[in-house]
């Protein structure tokens, strides 16, 4: 509900702080006192379009703050969560700053937001209804939702929505398969020859790199093989100095004793040299064995490597993806072969899902028509007391079973016939301003708190009526306030007398300190009770000159005697 409203420097309001309670609250005052300013200010806080002319003359800006405490399970809190906004202790604060230059700023719980987001949240919290305000009549696009809520059909709608989404998923899968098969058919010959070629080639991921390294190794070995052979020949061939050196060292060993061992160091060095030459020969022979390869192996390696690279260029993929491409082509060919069967299976699933949607839509349509009868009866029951005894309220439903909608195949709109024999039509086109407000009130009473914002504001819906009709309006506003918070701007004493809270709106002169003594006008609002409330209702009954008879009548109204 709306708990508090704070207004600063908006039109004729310099500073105003109001607190509201549950039930029915009325705002009264003489014509021109500023009741519309109060509603305009509230609308501004709810995200209505702002303009510089709303700012009090001489001030750079004005602002409005509205504080709400909705039921803890209200969808407004889910809206905040979905938009990454937080509410502290179940409180929602909407604030709008209006600059004299026309620019505005919006805040939700101290977080800056767009006016659009503020407006979306505002619609969840408050509905404002008046004779000439488009917000007064629930938009025709929402009539179906209201009927569903009234009939308790939300679970049925959710079941249909789930079935509709399943149907859509099957349709998307079928369409995707049809596209793939159509593309595959266009390229069937190409896929067949390409797949055969890749299957023969049988590429393996990583194979190119292995072949390239092997080829490089064999080519390098080929280049150094002759040098290795020459080295072995030099160490072990016919021209090798090793035999001659070995013979020399043996001769030196035999004669070493003749010179008292003077030759021993030289003999040791030569022996080590011979051992080193033998080791070098062994290493060269080992390297020769390791580097040995069949020239045909190099040729086959190159052929394989070049074949892989040619295929990669041909199919415009890296060589490591040739194997994947081959699998994809095989799958496409298999899908093409099995496509007709899959298409039949998916088409059957689509058919079954469609039948489920149709069945649920038909069931929902039947339930809606049953609920529509009850809703129309409830609204019709309210009309005689509202001086609409000759009128008829109709929940008009048009159905097209060829439509596949997540909400069913019904179009729902509230129609009225204001007089017997006249043509029925959409409520907003047929009903006059006064009739429209009373139809709306009857509808709201019938709906009670279902499909309604937690706060309803009625702007002079009793205009142009009096006596029993005004009393009937007051009675219904009071009944409605048992379910939701109701604020009503009214000129009818019968309505004002039924309120739980009464606010008096008045305009007076404000001393602005000018030398010529001119004073600006200022709108003020105060809560009244007791004698002051009785006096205000007497004024509403009698006009400018309040009589004792009017005061007595006011006492009777306040005591509950509405006769």
């Amino acid at each position: 509900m709306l708990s508090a409203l704070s207004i600063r420097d908006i039109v004729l309001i310099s500073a105003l702080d109001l607190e509201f309670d549950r039930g029915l609250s009325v705002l009264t005052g003489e014509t021109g006192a500023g009741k519309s300013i109060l509603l305009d200010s509230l609308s501004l806080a709810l995200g209505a379009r702002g303009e510089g002319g709303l700012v009090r003359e001489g001030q750079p800006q004005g602002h409005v703050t509205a504080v709400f405490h909705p039921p803890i399970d209200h969808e407004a809190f889910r809206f905040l969560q979905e938009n990454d906004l937080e509410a502290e202790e179940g409180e929602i604060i909407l604030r709008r700053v209006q600059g004299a230059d026309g620019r505005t700023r919006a805040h939700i719980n101290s977080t800056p937001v767009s006016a659009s987001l503020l407006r979306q949240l505002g619609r969840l919290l408050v509905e404002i209804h008046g004779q000439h305000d488009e917000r007064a009549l629930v938009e025709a696009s929402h009539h179906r939702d209201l009927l569903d809520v009234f009939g308790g059909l939300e679970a049925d709608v959710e079941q249909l929505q789930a079935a509709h989404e399943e149907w859509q998923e099957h349709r998307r899968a079928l369409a995707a398969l049809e596209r793939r098969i159509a593309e595959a058919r266009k390229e069937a010959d190409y896929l067949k020859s390409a797949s055969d070629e890749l299957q023969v080639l049988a590429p393996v991921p990583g194979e190119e790199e292995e072949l390239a390294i092997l080829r490089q190794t064999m080519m390098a070995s080929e280049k150094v093989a002759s040098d290795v052979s020459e080295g072995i020949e030099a160490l072990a061939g016919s021209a090798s100095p090793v035999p001659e050196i070995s013979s020399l060292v043996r001769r030196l060993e035999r004669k070493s004793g003749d010179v008292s061992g003077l030759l021993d160091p030289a003999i040791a060095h030569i022996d080590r040299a011979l051992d080193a030459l033998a080791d070098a020969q062994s290493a060269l022979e080992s390297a020769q064995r390791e580097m040995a390869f069949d020239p045909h192996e190099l040729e086959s390696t190159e052929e394989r490597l070049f074949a892989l690279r040619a295929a990669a260029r041909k199919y415009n993929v890296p060589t490591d993806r040739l194997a994947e491409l081959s699998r994809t082509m095989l799958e496409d060919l298999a899908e093409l072969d099995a496509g007709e069967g899959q298409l039949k299976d998916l088409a059957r699933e689509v058919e079954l899902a469609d039948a489920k949607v149709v069945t649920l839509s038909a069931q929902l349509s039947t339930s809606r028509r049953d609920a529509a009868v009850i809703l129309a009866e409830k609204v019709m029951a309210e009309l005689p007391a509202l001086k609409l005894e000759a009128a008829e309220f109709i929940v008009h439903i048009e159905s097209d079973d060829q439509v596949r909608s997540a909400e069913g195949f019904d179009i729902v709109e509230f129609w009225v016939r204001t007089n017997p024999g006249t043509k029925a039509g959409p409520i907003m086109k047929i009903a006059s301003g006064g009739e429209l407000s009373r139809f709306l009130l009857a509808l709201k009473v019938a709906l009670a708190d279902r499909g309604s914002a937690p706060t309803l504001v009625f702007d002079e819906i009793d205009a142009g009526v009096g006596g029993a009709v005004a009393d009937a309006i007051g009675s219904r506003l009071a009944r409605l306030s048992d379910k939701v918070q109701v604020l009503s701007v009214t000129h009818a004493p019968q309505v004002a007398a039924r309120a739980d809270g009464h606010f008096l709106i008045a305009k007076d002169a404000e001393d602005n300190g000018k030398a010529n003594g001119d004073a600006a006008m200022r709108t003020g609002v105060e809560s009244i009770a007791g004698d002051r409330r009785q006096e205000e209702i007497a004024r509403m009954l009698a006009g400018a000159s309040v009589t004792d008879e009017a005061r007595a009548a006011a006492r009777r109204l306040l005591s509950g005697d509405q006769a």
Side-chain angles (χ1 to χ4, degrees):
M1 70 171 199
L2 175 65
S3 301
L5 182 66
S6 177
I7 305 171
R8 295 291 185 274
D9 295 320
I10 298 294
V11 194
L12 297 180
I13 299 175
S14 58
L16 183 61
D17 295 293
L18 298 176
E19 293 185 358
F20 298 94
D21 207 340
R22 302 180 184 279
L24 171 62
S25 296
V26 295
L27 298 95
T28 67
E30 295 182 358
T31 301
K35 296 185 291 295
S36 62
I37 299 173
L38 200 65
L39 293 187
D40 288 343
S41 298
L42 176 59
S43 297
L44 188 65
L46 297 172
R49 183 177 180 180
E51 56 180 66
L54 291 172
V55 179
R56 192 163 176 254
E57 185 177 357
Q59 300 300 318
Q61 65 180 31
H63 61 83
V64 184
T65 302
V67 181
F68 294 89
H69 289 88
I72 196 63
D73 59 347
H74 193 267
E75 58 183 318
F77 293 110
R78 184 169 62 252
F79 178 87
L80 292 179
Q81 189 175 27
E82 291 171 352
N83 289 278
D84 297 323
L85 297 167
E86 296 182 358
E88 297 183 1
E89 299 180 355
E91 184 174 77
I92 299 177
I93 301 175
L94 309 186
R95 187 169 187 267
R96 190 80 174 278
V97 179
Q98 174 67 60
D101 58 2
R103 290 181 292 183
T104 69
R105 299 193 306 275
H107 296 80
I108 297 176
N109 293 338
S110 301
T111 301
V113 297
S114 66
S116 173
L117 193 68
L118 185 71
R119 185 161 51 253
Q120 292 177 54
L121 179 57
R123 287 174 177 169
L124 297 177
L125 296 170
V126 180
E127 291 179 23
I128 300 180
H129 304 285
Q131 287 195 65
H132 307 293
D133 191 338
E134 289 186 2
R135 291 170 297 177
L137 183 62
V138 180
E139 296 177 7
S141 59
H142 294 167
H143 289 178
R144 181 173 57 197
D145 295 337
L146 280 173
L147 179 61
D148 289 342
V149 171
F150 173 79
L153 304 177
E154 298 96 320
D156 296 337
V157 174
E158 289 179 3
Q159 186 180 9
L160 173 58
Q161 289 171 340
H164 185 269
E165 177 58 28
E166 183 181 2
W167 173 67
Q168 290 281 50
E169 288 177 1
H170 287 316
R171 291 182 68 225
R172 287 191 289 266
L174 178 61
L177 180 59
E178 287 173 339
R179 286 193 300 270
R180 289 198 301 271
I181 290 177
E183 290 298 320
R185 283 172 179 158
K186 291 178 184 177
E187 302 178 0
D189 293 340
Y190 166 77
L191 282 174
K192 184 67 171 65
S193 63
S195 177
D196 290 345
E197 180 182 349
L198 289 177
Q199 283 185 280
V200 171
L201 184 62
V204 177
E207 185 181 8
E208 181 198 20
E209 183 178 2
E210 293 177 0
L211 291 173
I213 293 173
L214 179 60
R215 175 175 178 261
Q216 184 179 9
T217 301
M218 286 191 290
M219 291 178 67
S221 298
E222 189 176 39
K223 289 181 180 179
V224 301
S226 59
D227 293 331
V228 172
S229 295
E230 287 179 9
I232 293 173
E233 179 63 28
L235 293 175
S238 58
S240 171
V242 172
E244 186 176 344
I245 294 173
S246 297
S247 177
L248 172 63
V249 77
R250 301 286 81 78
R251 292 197 303 270
L252 291 174
E253 286 176 344
R254 289 195 297 269
K255 296 178 180 180
S256 176
D258 297 340
V259 289
S260 303
L262 291 175
L263 298 177
D264 289 348
I267 292 170
H269 285 306
I270 293 172
D271 280 340
R272 285 194 295 272
L274 288 171
D275 289 341
L277 288 172
D279 289 342
Q281 177 186 340
S282 177
L284 287 172
E285 289 172 346
S286 176
Q288 187 180 50
R289 287 192 299 273
E290 291 292 328
M291 291 188 299
F293 65 90
D294 184 350
H296 294 295
E297 183 181 359
L298 174 61
E299 182 180 349
S300 63
T301 297
E302 289 182 333
E303 287 178 356
R304 177 67 176 173
L305 180 62
F306 296 157
L308 288 172
R309 289 175 173 173
R313 288 192 300 272
K314 180 177 181 180
Y315 298 113
N316 195 28
V317 295
T319 53
D320 281 349
R321 291 192 58 192
L322 285 172
E324 179 185 346
L325 178 63
S326 178
R327 286 194 301 272
T328 301
M329 288 180 171
L330 285 172
E331 290 170 0
D332 288 345
L333 286 170
E335 189 171 76
L336 182 59
D337 292 338
E340 294 300 329
Q342 292 181 18
L343 282 176
K344 289 180 180 178
D345 291 341
L346 273 177
R348 178 59 178 164
E349 289 180 3
V350 171
E351 183 180 343
L352 291 174
D354 178 73
K356 184 177 181 180
V357 169
V358 171
T359 298
L360 292 175
S361 296
Q363 292 172 352
L364 181 59
S365 182
T366 299
S367 298
R368 280 174 176 157
R369 292 180 183 278
D370 292 342
V373 172
I374 299 172
L375 176 59
E377 289 176 350
K378 282 183 171 292
V379 174
M380 289 289 290
E382 301 294 331
L383 297 183
L386 295 172
K387 206 176 180 180
L388 291 170
E389 60 277 355
E392 181 182 2
F393 178 83
I394 304 164
V395 181
H396 181 74
I397 300 178
E398 291 185 4
S399 303
D400 183 353
D401 59 10
Q402 299 304 308
V403 171
R404 297 296 180 268
S405 164
E407 284 73 35
F409 42 60
D410 298 318
I411 298 175
V412 179
E413 191 171 7
F414 298 150
W415 281 19
V416 296
R417 178 183 288 109
T418 54
N419 290 292
T422 60
K423 185 178 180 181
I427 187 171
M428 200 162 182
K429 292 182 179 179
I430 300 297
S432 64
E435 292 170 336
L436 181 61
S437 63
R438 283 176 279 155
F439 272 118
L440 175 63
L441 178 58
L443 178 60
K444 277 297 178 185
V445 171
L447 291 170
D449 60 340
R450 289 176 286 187
S452 174
T455 298
L456 301 180
V457 179
F458 291 91
D459 183 13
E460 298 186 3
I461 67 165
D462 48 41
V465 300
V469 176
D471 178 45
I473 290 174
S475 172
R476 279 146 186 80
L477 289 175
R479 284 167 51 195
L480 191 57
S481 70
D482 290 336
K483 301 292 186 180
V484 294
Q485 182 189 41
V486 178
L487 277 63
S488 177
V489 176
T490 180
H491 288 288
Q494 295 89 343
V495 173
R498 290 183 179 272
D500 301 298
H502 193 146
F503 295 88
L504 177 61
I505 304 173
K507 185 165 61 176
D508 58 16
E510 178 185 29
D511 186 0
N512 56 17
K514 293 182 180 180
N516 60 10
D518 289 342
M521 298 306 293
R522 177 181 62 185
T523 291
V525 181
E526 60 179 324
S527 177
I528 59 174
D531 291 343
R532 291 203 59 196
R533 185 182 181 198
Q534 178 181 299
E535 192 70 10
E536 169 61 10
I537 293 178
R539 181 201 63 77
M540 297 172 71
L541 286 164
S545 179
V546 179
T547 64
D548 291 338
E549 289 81 359
R551 293 186 178 95
R555 282 194 299 272
R556 287 195 301 272
L557 287 176
L558 288 168
S559 67
D561 183 3
Q562 304 291 318

